[in-house]
Amino acid sequence: MQQDVLIGVGVSPGLGVGPVAWMPPAVAEPDATSTLGAETADDAVARVRAAAAAVAADLEARAARLEAPRGTEAAPAGMAPAAAEAATVLRTTAMMATDPTLLAGAETLVRAGTGPARAVWQAAGTVIDQLSALGGYLGERTRDVADVRDRVVAHLTGHPAPGVPDLDHPFVLVAGDLAPADTATLDPTRVTAIVTLQGGPTSHTAILARSLGIPAVVAAPGAAALTASDVVLVDGGAGTVTRDPSPEQVERARALAGRARTFDGEGRTADGVRVPLLANVGGPEDAVAAASAGAEGIGLFRTEFCFLDRTEAPSVDEQTTAYRAVLAAFPGRKVVVRTLDAGADKPLPFLTAADEPNPALGVRGLRTSGRDPQVLDDQLAAIARAATAEQADVWVMAPMVATVEETEDFVARCAAHGLTHAGVMVEVPAAALRSGPILARAAFASIGTNDLTQYAMAADRLLGELAPLSTAWQPAVLDLVAATCRGGAQQARPVGVCGEAAADPALAVVLVGLGVTSLSMTPRALADVAAVLASVTRRECEELAALALAAETAQGARDAVRGRLPVLVELGL
Ligand code: PEP
Ligand code: MG
């Protein structure tokens, strides 16, 4: 029998199998003119109350499930901190569902003739406005009220509850697209793989999936035909989704999923040239995982991942606590803290304008400090405090730097906080081409190949349709990396790579051959990159880099390099 195989772009390697569960669509705002119709006000009020009670009961039940030991495994001595935190959030949200202010507001509107779903929507709107006006901790609760609102409205209108489905068995999550905030909360023990119809290979959703170790395929429009009755096998390396896999395929997937590779904690070439292999992290939990995976330090701490759901800027104290927890995982080791990279697909409501026509080309990354200097100053103060309190060797860098003036300004601001090791990310072609004068001011550069590729190729990193353009194998991108390294060599400054290119073992050795001095990646890629690096001398890295630069197409560069690395076949990479 011919198997039905859907093709997409593999963005997080590994095999995952399971029944399909669709991410429900966002709950739409009920029509502002909706009325009670034939329903009496008493009946409508009773329905609102019942819907709110059902939502509260559902959230309570989910909290209880999180607190209970899983399946038949031995009872855990204590709940994992993340599960305990999630259970507390669910209980708080459950209480909000039956909040008397919200219900009284909805009842008043219903008695004035408004349809029940609309009444809940509007009453929640009033509560949200009040909480936002109060600000602080209460201001942060507006998202919870919006969540409750969506759940009650979905219940009243007969739609599925919003958010990642809460099923009692592992499943493959299928979605049109996923926001980074949804992806960050996925539980890898429940979600065996992710498939999206849209999405690009270097989108933050893809990056998060990789860091969680969840196999993922994006840009698979054929997945639109999948239903909850399908069982699929997702190959996140090959970019395929196989419907109705055979028992042998399922068996192989489970066996490979259990195979572990390890990293001994020192990146080097076959002839002993040291290339520190560092980790990309988004917060304290990642940092602990990175340390146990043997990372030599942190090459990219994406601080914005700590605050993705915030409506208000986090305080200096709160930031200090979060940063200390990351630094504490790497005493005596290098930790590169990146200042907030808000904007484009990571909007932070307290920094990002909602109405920019081209957010990726807008006030993003370091550019936000022009409009909102206090946020950057507070963050630098928090990083400085955390650095003083912990033992890590703290480096600081700014995202989306394009010019010498921006570099000077950032380095000066860092110095004012006693942060003397200040660098820049090279993500904009202008910075790559002018890295010499930029690195005359900055202590180091770290190339963000995801954005550098997006801006060099003028290809939105979120668009699956443009995936063939969105790869750092593009010779033009490699030229920009080479230019950055030349600037670094001129000024005797280190140039690392912290974009996804560093996690592709074949590309990693090319980067080293181009002059890159350290590589930072998701901890899961460390062992593979280390193994391939250890199979080649520095001279061979340079030869491979020359081969890649001489190619005229991305595919040509990739094929030429891979053809010279037999170790890739041995390792199944
Ligand atoms: C990059 O652009 O390559 C990078 C590392 O930053 P981010 O992916 O967070 O934009
Ligand atoms: Mg970037």
Side-chain angles (χ1 to χ4, degrees), residues 43-55:
D43 285 351
V45 168
R47 269 207 312 130
V48 168
R49 289 187 179 281
V55 165

Side-chain angles (χ1 to χ4, degrees), residues 269 473 475 478 504-515 532-551 556-568:
T269 59
W473 283 106
L478 297 176
D504 172 338
L507 194 44
V509 297
V510 169
L511 297 172
V512 170
L514 291 173
V532 176
L533 188 63
S535 77
V536 282
T537 61
R538 159 127 75 182
R539 182 65 178 277
E540 284 164 339
C541 290
E542 285 164 3
E543 285 165 11
L544 291 168
L547 259 187
L549 284 179
R558 189 169 180 272
D559 290 348
V561 171
R562 289 184 66 91
R564 294 270 301 270
L565 287 170
V567 65
L568 294 173

Side-chain angles (χ1 to χ4, degrees), residues 316-332:
V316 174
D317 283 349
E318 188 187 353
Q319 291 186 65
T320 308
T321 307
Y323 304 156
R324 282 192 64 175
V326 169
L327 301 186
F330 285 91

